Amino acid sequence: MRNLWLSWLLVLTACATLGDRTVNVTEADIQNMLNKKLDVPVQLLKIFDVSLSNSVVKFDQQTGRMHTTLDTMLQSKLFDESLAGKLGISGKLRFDAATQSIVLDEPQIEQFNIAGADSKQNEMMNALAKVIAGPLLNGLTLYKVKEEDLKFGGTSYMPKDMQVTGNGLQITLSPTR
C-alpha cells in the first residue's frame, strides 16, 4: 500500500511540474528596459538628434495598451540650443515567439510638447513626431522572457498567453511536449 501511495505522489508531483507557469513583468521592469534601450540618442532625418530618458510606464487593463511618458531632449543645427520636452507614447503589446520577447505594436504618439514653445510650434512638432517616430517604434522590444523562466526543473516552457493587468503583464507559460 505504501508503494502505491508513493507512486501516486510521484505522479501528482510530475503533473504539477508539467502544468502552466505564470511570470509577472512589472511596469518597473519595462521602464528599466526602455531606459537602457533608449540610452543612445537617435538621429532623425539627419536633422534632429533626439535623446529619450526617464520613462514612466503605465498599463491600461481596459484597453490592453501601455502608456509611456519620456523626458525628451531635441538638438538640431536648425536652432542654437537644446530643446527639452515630454513625449507621450501608447501602444499595444504583443508577444513575439521568434525572439521570446514582448514588443510594442501599433505605437501612437499621444503628445510631444517642447517646454517654452507656443501651441502652434508644439502642434507642428506633434505632427512631425507622429509621422516619423511611430513607425520607428513599431516592433520595439520591451522585454525578453528570461531563459530561467523558459526552463524549469528540466522542463522547457513556451509562452501561451499574455494579459495586461493593473500592475504589469502576466505571461502564462506552458510546458512543451
Side-chain angles (χ1 to χ4, degrees):
M1 185 72 159
R2 183 176 188 164
N3 286 341
L4 182 62
W5 280 107
L6 284 174
S7 297
W8 276 106
L9 185 59
L10 285 173
V11 168
L12 290 174
T13 302
C15 290
T17 60
L18 293 178
D20 288 349
R21 298 184 60 231
T22 301
V23 174
N24 293 304
V25 180
T26 66
E27 292 170 340
D29 293 332
I30 301 293
Q31 283 174 191
N32 291 335
M33 182 72 158
L34 266 176
N35 287 334
K36 287 177 189 173
K37 266 198 162 323
L38 301 174
D39 193 31
V40 178
V42 177
Q43 190 176 59
L44 299 175
L45 302 175
K46 297 185 180 183
I47 298 173
F48 300 104
D49 289 323
V50 180
S51 298
L52 302 170
S53 60
N54 301 323
S55 64
V56 176
V57 172
K58 297 289 178 205
F59 292 106
D60 184 346
Q61 190 173 359
Q62 297 279 329
T63 64
R65 292 182 73 83
M66 177 183 83
H67 297 273
T68 307
T69 304
L70 298 139
D71 289 340
T72 306
M73 187 64 67
L74 186 66
Q75 296 176 322
S76 176
K77 294 177 184 175
L78 299 175
F79 34 85
D80 297 333
E81 59 187 297
S82 297
L83 304 175
K86 292 278 187 189
L87 175 64
I89 302 167
S90 73
K92 291 183 180 180
L93 302 173
R94 173 178 55 86
F95 186 80
D96 181 47
T99 62
Q100 304 291 319
S101 306
I102 298 165
V103 297
L104 186 63
D105 209 17
E106 301 178 26
Q108 293 179 353
I109 305 301
E110 299 293 336
Q111 66 177 15
F112 181 43
N113 294 318
I114 300 294
D118 64 32
S119 62
K120 191 169 189 170
Q121 291 168 324
N122 272 324
E123 189 176 305
M124 188 172 63
M125 292 305 282
N126 266 290
L128 183 62
K130 287 178 183 185
V131 170
I132 296 171
L136 289 175
L137 294 169
N138 198 41
L140 177 69
T141 299
L142 300 172
Y143 184 83
K144 183 157 177 48
V145 178
K146 297 174 184 165
E147 194 62 38
E148 60 264 23
D149 290 330
L150 296 173
K151 267 201 185 295
F152 185 76
T155 302
S156 295
Y157 288 82
M158 289 293 294
K160 172 175 124 178
D161 187 35
M162 180 181 70
Q163 295 288 325
V164 175
T165 68
N167 299 333
L169 302 174
Q170 189 174 50
I171 302 170
T172 303
L173 305 171
S174 290
T176 57
R177 299 175 201 223

